[in-house]
């Protein structure tokens, strides 16, 4: 999955499954926007959550609307785990800044 996501040439929608707890799984639809060969922008409901950059075999989740100011919020060997970390980070931030509404 990760290889095909990083080789996109146009924006596309991707479903990410997230474990909420031992009994619940949530599916979130994200929009993946290519930036370069190893970097994609991750959007949710027309809001930029951040970026995922491939560094060797690791996917680095960078939270923030601007790449030059984005902060690392997680790393994973799996692309979808890095994407899920961006969603979790955005939800934690939403608790402090309710102006941005994420499901």
């Amino acid at each position: 999955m990760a290889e095909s996501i990083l080789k996109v040439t146009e924006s596309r929608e991707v479903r990410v499954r997230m474990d909420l707890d031992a009994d619940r799984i949530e599916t979130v639809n994200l929009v993946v926007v290519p930036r370069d060969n190893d970097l994609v922008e991750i959007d949710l409901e027309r809001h930029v959550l951040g970026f995922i950059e491939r560094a060797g075999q690791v996917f680095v989740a960078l939270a923030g609307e601007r790449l030059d100011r984005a902060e690392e919020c997680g790393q994973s060997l799996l692309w979808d785990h890095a994407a899920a970390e961006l969603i979790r980070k955005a939800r934690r931030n939403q608790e402090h800044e309710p102006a941005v509404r994420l499901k």
Side-chain angles (χ1 to χ4, degrees), residues 45-57:
E45 298 176 359
R46 298 184 179 164
H47 177 75
V48 178
L49 296 182
F51 306 86
I52 297 178
E53 183 173 27
R54 183 169 63 187
Q57 298 297 316

Side-chain angles (χ1 to χ4, degrees), residues 47-100:
H47 177 75
V48 178
L49 296 182
F51 306 86
I52 297 178
E53 183 173 27
R54 183 169 63 187
Q57 298 297 316
V58 176
F59 296 97
V60 180
L62 304 165
E65 293 181 357
R66 291 179 33 188
L67 181 58
D68 63 337
R69 301 197 49 137
E71 296 180 4
E72 183 177 327
C73 65
Q75 296 183 4
S76 178
L77 295 175
L78 301 174
W79 187 93
D80 52 337
H81 288 193
E85 190 56 41
L86 287 175
I87 297 166
R88 286 186 198 95
K89 174 73 172 173
R91 288 179 176 171
R92 285 190 300 266
N93 288 347
Q94 180 182 354
E95 293 172 4
H96 302 291
E97 299 175 27
V100 176

